[in-house]
Amino acid sequence: MNLIENVRLFGHSRFAIVGCLLLVLACGCQQEMARQPSYRPWEPSPFFADGQADRPVEPGTIARGQLRDNRWLVEADGARAAEAVAVLAAGASPLGTLALAAVSAPPPADSFPFALTEDMLQRGRLQFNIYCAVCHDRIGTGNGRIVQRGYVRPPSFHSERLRQAPAAHYFRVITRGQGAMPDYSAQIAPADRWDIVAYIRALQLSQDAPVDALPPAIRRQLVQER
Amino acid sequence: MPQVFHRSFNTLSRVSVFGSLLFLGLAAWAASVYVRSSYATNRDIARDQPIPFSHEHHVTGLGIDCRYCHDSAEKSRYAGMPATKTCMNCHQQIWTGSPVLAPLRASYQNDVPIPWVRVHRLADFAYFDHSAHVNKGVGCVTCHGPVDRMPLTWQHGTLLMSWCLDCHRQPQMFLRPREQVFNMEWQPPPDQEQQGRQLVEEYGVRQLIHCSTCHR
C-alpha cells in the first residue's frame, strides 16, 4: 500500500459516506406533514359515536357576530326594527324570540325592515336566479326546469292573491317553506331573503305595470310598436 | 510490480463513472415525472362515489347554479359540500323510487351524512381560503376545470405548489370580473393581461408569493 492508493481508497469511502447521507434525505419523501392527524371539516372520525369529526352545534346557539349581521336589528330605526323583530319571531328563529323579549310591537303590514336600494334589488335578483328560478322560473310564473321535470308547480307570483300578500309572507315562506316548497333557511341568509322579497316585488311590478307608469321614452316606443 | 488490474478495467471504470451519473440523472427525471403524474397527484381521475352524482346533468342539463348547492363557496374558508337536505329539496319529489338514490334517502331518514369521496384535498401544511379566491375574481373553471361537463367529478389541476404559484406570480393572467366567476362559458378576452391588471388594481389583489402566505 503506497500513499497514492491510500488516498484513492479514502476518496472512495468518502463517496460512499456522501452517498449514504444523500439517502437520508429520502426520509423526507414521506407525506406525514401533508396528512396530519388533526381533523379538517367534514372528515370522518372513529373517536365519536356518530363517526364524524364535526361536533353538532347546541340548539339555540348564536354565532359570534351573528346578531350584528342582522342589519335590520342593528341599523334600522326603532319602528322598523320592531317590525323586523316580529317577522323574525314569526319565523320561529331563536334570534327572533330573543329580540322579541326586548321589543314588543304589532305584526308588520306590507313593509320592509330597511330602506331598499338598487344594490339590494341586484343582490335579490342574483339570489332569486340561483335559488328560486329553478322552480319559479326567472319571471316567477312557476314553470322552472325542476317543475318541467315533475316537481309540483308553484303558484305564479302574478296572481292577485300573491300581489296582495305582505312582504313578510314571502320572508316567512323562504324561511319555513310552505306546501311542496322546502325551507331555505340553511341556504339563504336572512338579509338575502329580504333582498329576494324585494326582487319578487320588482318582478310583480314588471308583469303588472300600468302604461302610465312607464318613463315617457319607453311609453312612446310601446305605443309605436302597437 | 505486476499489474493489479486487467486493462479492461479502464473501460469498466469509465462506464461506471458516466453510468452512475446517467443513472442519477435518470432517477431525478423519473422522480420529477412521477410527482407530476396523475398517479401521484390524482389529477384527471374520476372518483367513484356512493351516489354517481353528475355535475353535467345538474349544471348543463338542468341549469342549476353552482351556488344552489355550494352555498358557502363565496362565504367560507371551506367551499363546503351540500347537506343531504339540499339534495332532498328536489329529490323529495323527483326520482323518489330510484335505487341509485337509495343512499340519499337512507342518509336523510337516519340523519347520517353521505360518505362522499373527496376529490380535492390540499396538503395539510398549505393554508387555503376558498372564499378569498372567489371574491377576488378567480373563476370556478380556473381551478376546477369544466365541472359542468363532468359526469363523475375529477380533479382538474395538479394541486402542486407550482400550480398555485403559476397564478400567484401573475394573477392578471387568470382573474376575471367578479360577476363572471360562476360563468362556466366565460373566455378570457384577447387583452386579458391589460384587463387583468385593471382587475388586480380594482380588487386590491396582491402578488402573494411569500412562503408564509400559505405555509403558516
Side-chain angles (χ1 to χ4, degrees):
Chain A
M1 285 279 193
N2 59 25
L3 182 66
I4 295 173
E5 272 186 72
N6 268 337
V7 168
R8 198 186 292 154
L9 274 176
F10 177 68
H12 275 255
S13 62
R14 194 167 56 182
F15 184 76
I17 290 168
V18 170
C20 288
L21 285 177
L22 280 174
L23 275 178
V24 171
L25 286 179
C27 297
C29 292
Q30 56 182 323
Q31 291 291 306
E32 285 188 12
M33 284 285 280
R35 297 285 177 266
Q36 294 164 20
S38 56
Y39 289 124
R40 297 284 169 117
W42 302 295
E43 276 188 349
S45 162
F47 182 78
F48 295 107
D50 62 359
Q52 301 174 55
D54 296 336
R55 297 293 78 219
V57 177
E58 288 298 317
T61 304
I62 295 175
R64 187 177 280 239
Q66 206 171 57
L67 268 174
R68 293 198 65 82
D69 282 344
N70 289 287
R71 57 183 184 232
W72 54 82
L73 288 180
V74 179
E75 293 167 22
D77 61 42
R80 282 182 167 154
E83 287 172 6
V85 163
V87 172
L88 276 169
S93 83
L95 182 63
T97 323
L98 197 85
L100 194 67
V103 191
S104 65
D110 184 25
S111 62
F112 287 84
F114 43 81
L116 295 176
T117 65
E118 163 112 32
D119 282 348
M120 284 177 201
L121 281 174
Q122 294 289 358
R123 173 87 185 150
R125 168 154 74 178
L126 184 71
Q127 299 282 306
F128 182 91
N129 288 341
I130 294 170
Y131 296 106
C132 314
V134 286
C135 287
H136 289 279
D137 79 41
R138 294 210 165 198
I139 54 168
T141 60
N143 193 27
R145 289 273 187 93
I146 304 301
V147 172
Q148 291 167 19
R149 293 291 178 124
Y151 206 93
V152 171
R153 184 170 178 150
S156 166
F157 289 141
H158 310 295
S159 69
E160 198 51 37
R161 178 179 70 86
L162 282 178
R163 283 199 197 105
Q164 299 301 327
H169 166 76
Y170 296 93
F171 185 90
R172 245 179 257 134
V173 172
I174 298 171
T175 309
R176 294 192 296 190
Q178 178 169 307
M181 178 175 153
D183 77 271
Y184 277 79
S185 55
Q187 281 161 280
I188 309 175
D192 289 341
R193 286 175 226 162
W194 281 115
D195 293 347
I196 289 174
V197 176
Y199 182 66
I200 291 174
R201 282 283 184 255
L203 279 181
Q204 286 171 334
L205 186 63
S206 78
Q207 302 298 305
D208 190 36
V211 178
D212 298 339
L214 295 174
I218 296 176
R219 201 187 318 159
R220 223 172 295 126
Q221 194 186 337
L222 193 74
V223 170
Q224 277 171 8
E225 278 172 14
R226 274 185 185 171
Chain B
M1 204 172 110
Q3 287 282 351
V4 178
F5 294 109
H6 189 261
R7 289 171 71 88
S8 65
F9 275 74
N10 285 339
T11 317
L12 194 67
S13 65
R14 276 192 211 103
V15 166
S16 59
V17 165
F18 290 109
S20 57
L21 283 177
L22 191 70
F23 175 78
L24 283 177
L26 275 175
W29 174 78
S32 74
V33 167
Y34 169 77
V35 296
R36 285 167 179 76
S37 71
S38 57
Y39 180 77
T41 63
N42 286 332
R43 184 188 188 185
D44 292 342
I45 298 176
R47 311 304 293 264
D48 281 331
Q49 301 286 356
I51 301 170
F53 177 86
S54 167
H55 277 97
E56 188 175 40
H57 169 66
H58 287 84
V59 180
T60 306
L62 300 174
I64 299 175
D65 191 279
C66 310
R67 288 160 286 186
Y68 185 93
C69 305
H70 302 286
D71 52 84
S72 59
E74 43 181 359
K75 298 172 201 152
S76 164
R77 189 187 148 187
Y78 298 97
M81 283 291 289
T84 298
K85 154 78 170 56
T86 306
C87 307
M88 291 305 278
N89 280 354
C90 294
H91 287 294
Q92 56 168 319
Q93 289 191 22
I94 293 176
W95 284 54
T96 46
S98 162
V100 172
L101 295 182
L104 175 72
R105 294 189 293 271
S107 162
Y108 194 62
Q109 282 156 9
N110 306 327
D111 199 22
V112 174
I114 302 166
W116 297 108
V117 175
R118 187 154 194 172
V119 176
H120 292 80
R121 199 198 201 287
L122 282 176
D124 286 351
F125 50 72
Y127 174 87
F128 178 78
D129 187 319
H130 196 272
S131 63
H133 289 80
V134 171
N135 292 323
K136 296 283 182 184
V138 182
C140 303
V141 179
T142 307
C143 298
H144 293 292
V147 178
D148 58 328
R149 293 197 291 277
M150 294 184 187
L152 279 176
T153 314
W154 61 81
Q155 175 188 317
H156 174 73
T158 60
L159 303 193
L160 290 172
M161 183 169 142
S162 61
W163 178 77
C164 300
L165 281 174
D166 281 346
C167 188
H168 273 240
R169 285 209 177 98
Q170 40 175 1
Q172 71 276 8
M173 301 307 287
F174 297 91
L175 294 188
R176 55 177 76 190
R178 273 183 191 134
E179 59 274 15
Q180 301 296 338
V181 164
F182 293 90
N183 180 356
M184 304 302 283
E185 309 298 329
W186 188 85
Q187 293 292 330
D191 58 339
Q192 166 66 28
E193 186 166 3
Q194 199 192 339
Q195 295 208 18
R197 278 186 207 287
Q198 283 176 6
L199 294 177
V200 165
E201 185 83 15
E202 191 184 335
Y203 298 162
V205 175
R206 289 171 295 160
Q207 197 193 36
L208 292 171
I209 49 174
H210 196 277
C211 307
S212 61
T213 303
C214 308
H215 305 297
R216 18 176 104 179

